[in-house]
Amino acid sequence: MLELESPIWKFALDFYHRPGVSDACLTLQDDANVDVIELLVVLFAGHGLCRDLSTDELAEMRRNVASWREMTVLPLREIRRALKPQRLEFPRHEKEILRAKVKSIELLAEQIQIAIAYQWLTNRPPAPVGLTLEGALETLLGVENFEECPQSCRDALVHIIMTVTSMDDGPR
């Protein structure tokens, strides 16, 4: 059984609701095709478990959640986004009800993806040597150096790194 209310889920909710984090995550998702769930797993592993993931572990994690992500999360996101613009041929009120339900189901699908990743993360020994947070983020972005990223992504990454490193500094 998957643990839907796992420590990583609680971390993800806390982190994602901090000022500017949701916008930064969406920028990375939209501008650099970053899987925000993978990003959250990397941040939780480093911050919550004091465990840096290796390049091989990142690849294994991706393989472990790929089927679920491709079969559920991404199609639900596509449907939700398709329902966002106003269309004259769709009744507005009913479309918004449907969109809200799809959004709720998409969130559950993401929660399950996080639970799959958490189960993978906690059922394996740590790699002897992991990447730094910056190295893991560069790997997620598929770049050798942050300078290769558009400015919007670099700004988002700086915000995410500053936020996660300040999480123990007290209430938000």
Side-chain angles (χ1 to χ4, degrees):
M1 291 256 321
L2 293 174
E3 187 179 348
L4 293 181
E5 297 294 327
S6 66
I8 193 173
W9 177 249
K10 293 171 185 159
F11 167 84
L13 291 177
D14 177 30
F15 181 73
Y16 198 79
H17 288 99
R18 289 176 181 260
V21 168
S22 63
D23 289 338
C25 288
L26 292 176
T27 295
L28 292 173
Q29 178 179 283
D30 294 342
D31 295 354
N33 202 30
V34 169
D35 179 355
V36 173
I37 302 302
E38 289 178 358
L39 172 67
L40 293 169
V41 172
V42 166
L43 296 174
F44 174 77
H47 180 77
L49 299 178
C50 297
R51 176 178 169 186
D52 297 325
L53 300 177
S54 69
T55 304
D56 290 342
E57 287 178 311
L58 286 173
E60 185 179 331
M61 176 190 58
R62 280 187 167 150
R63 286 189 302 274
N64 197 49
V65 300
S67 179
W68 179 259
R69 181 176 191 262
E70 291 165 12
M71 296 294 293
T72 61
V73 175
L74 295 179
L76 288 166
R77 182 175 301 144
E78 188 175 325
I79 292 168
R80 177 184 50 81
R81 286 180 170 183
L83 290 169
K84 187 172 185 176
Q86 179 60 30
R87 293 184 162 152
L88 296 177
E89 71 271 22
F90 294 155
R92 179 173 168 77
H93 177 72
E94 289 79 2
K95 178 186 73 95
E96 288 306 315
I97 291 171
L98 177 60
R99 185 171 183 275
K101 288 183 180 189
V102 171
K103 185 176 182 178
S104 175
I105 294 167
E106 179 189 2
L107 181 62
L108 177 58
E110 290 173 335
Q111 186 177 11
I112 292 169
Q113 182 180 342
I114 286 175
I116 293 167
Y118 181 71
Q119 185 177 58
W120 168 84
L121 185 62
T122 57
N123 285 334
R124 57 176 292 107
V129 177
L131 298 167
T132 64
L133 175 58
E134 290 80 5
L137 295 175
E138 289 168 346
T139 300
L140 290 179
L141 287 162
V143 298
E144 295 287 324
N145 187 300
F146 288 142
E147 296 303 315
E148 298 174 33
C149 298
Q151 187 63 47
S152 62
C153 292
R154 289 196 309 262
D155 293 344
L157 288 166
V158 167
H159 185 75
I160 284 169
I161 291 168
M162 289 177 60
T163 301
V164 79
T165 56
S166 69
M167 286 182 72
D168 290 329
D169 294 345
R172 40 183 166 138

